[in-house]
Amino acid sequence: MRYFIELSYRGTAYHGWQAQANGVSVQTTIEAALSQRFGYPMYILGSGRTDAGVHAEQQFAHIDVPEPLALSDSLIYSLNCILPEDIAIKTIFPVRPADHARFSATSRYYQYHITRHKNAFQSGLTYHFRPELDEGLMNEACQLLLHTKDFKSFSKARADVTNFLCRLDLAYWERSRDRLTFHIKANRFLWGMVRTIVGTMVEIGQGHMNLDQFETIIEAKDRNRAGRAAPANGLYLVEVTYPPEVLAERILLG
């Protein structure tokens, strides 16, 4: 039987979502907790890979098991007691055998948070960036992004993909008091794409790059032309979207 796991995590202490040979990952930490709780090796597959230091308010993974799980609030509670404080399982629910955490997803929504002033309670959770940024100009750049299909200029050079095409559903900057938040939603994201876009737009917001130069970077399809990637700590995976039938059995527990 196949189950989906809905969870969240603070990525500061982890070398990304995917299992790594040289560091602790979110995936392997959850697998260890599941294996301990159920008494046999368990393996999960996530909706996508987040980089080292990136956070997730909502992430999904699927797991295949030989016998039905006895789903209950106490099961979720026991798993969360095994897991470290920076990973939380929200619910586990059955899905159809063909439903896939990665390939059944229709979109992913990320936010990137920038703050100008130091906050003792947000350390490691936002990008503390002192210079003023012109979000109006950055939003003009977003309009160019929304007409873009090929994002090769914003993908890490070693990305293992057959193409660099993405369909953006939204891209905009929003200011709220001291915080500047970038919202971006697409059917898929390339390795390092959001952080590279943010890093390039920070150049625009400071007046170090104009819109014509930004458009030239997009058209170049060359990662070396884009700006430096923004730090991982400001980036959050906020929502993963699936067709309603995939989430039909989803009940929040824990």
Side-chain angles (χ1 to χ4, degrees):
M1 293 189 64
R2 176 163 292 183
Y3 291 84
F4 267 31
I5 303 171
E6 183 182 359
L7 63 134
S8 60
Y9 53 86
R10 186 171 68 246
T12 308
Y14 300 97
H15 287 238
W17 166 266
Q18 191 176 22
Q20 304 285 332
N22 60 345
V24 179
S25 73
V26 179
Q27 178 185 352
T28 53
T29 303
I30 296 170
E31 288 173 344
L34 289 166
S35 300
Q36 179 180 335
R37 174 62 178 77
F38 291 104
Y40 57 89
M42 302 186 81
Y43 305 97
I44 60 175
L45 193 148
S47 70
R49 306 170 186 174
T50 52
D51 291 342
V54 175
H55 319 292
E57 292 183 8
Q58 183 184 63
Q59 169 71 293
F60 286 92
H62 76 241
I63 187 167
D64 294 319
V65 295
E67 300 289 341
L69 300 179
L71 301 178
S72 66
D73 187 84
S74 60
L75 170 62
I76 304 301
Y77 177 77
S78 66
L79 285 168
N80 281 327
C81 287
I82 297 170
L83 287 165
E85 290 295 320
D86 49 12
I87 300 177
I89 290 178
K90 296 180 180 180
T91 190
I92 301 174
F93 57 96
V95 294
R96 300 165 300 185
D99 292 333
H100 194 284
R102 178 182 175 188
F103 297 124
S104 296
T106 55
S107 66
R108 285 91 173 164
Y109 170 32
Y110 281 88
Q111 291 179 359
Y112 193 95
H113 300 289
I114 298 175
T115 51
R116 290 195 68 228
H117 301 288
K118 184 178 181 180
N119 185 326
F121 299 100
Q122 294 293 317
S123 177
L125 299 177
T126 64
Y127 178 25
H128 178 211
F129 187 77
R130 183 64 182 167
E132 277 282 9
L133 296 171
D134 183 346
E135 73 267 24
L137 193 58
M138 294 158 76
N139 273 320
E140 289 186 49
C142 286
Q143 293 304 307
L144 295 175
L145 278 183
L146 288 168
H147 291 92
T148 300
K149 298 185 183 301
D150 192 315
F151 288 84
K152 187 174 182 179
S153 287
F154 304 103
S155 173
K156 288 187 179 180
R158 294 183 289 111
D160 183 21
V161 294
T162 57
N163 68 76
F164 298 87
L165 303 179
C166 303
R167 184 204 71 238
L168 259 60
D169 298 324
L170 61 86
Y172 66 94
W173 288 89
E174 178 184 40
R175 185 178 293 276
S176 176
R177 296 184 181 179
D178 177 50
R179 181 169 299 201
L180 189 60
T181 301
F182 180 50
H183 303 262
I184 186 166
K185 183 177 182 180
N187 66 320
R188 66 188 286 242
F189 285 92
L190 305 168
W191 187 15
M193 176 175 160
V194 180
R195 291 170 56 200
T196 305
I197 289 174
V198 170
T200 307
M201 285 202 172
V202 164
E203 295 295 308
I204 294 171
Q206 294 178 91
H208 298 164
M209 180 186 299
N210 60 42
L211 295 178
D212 287 340
Q213 290 171 318
F214 184 59
E215 190 167 20
T216 299
I217 288 171
I218 294 172
E219 294 172 351
K221 301 177 184 178
D222 180 358
R223 173 62 184 90
N224 293 320
R225 301 288 295 275
R228 183 176 60 182
N233 56 285
L235 183 58
Y236 292 73
L237 174 60
V238 174
E239 181 181 57
V240 184
T241 305
Y242 293 92
E245 56 271 22
V246 175
L247 305 180
E249 299 295 328
R250 177 175 173 263
I251 300 173
L252 290 177
L253 301 170

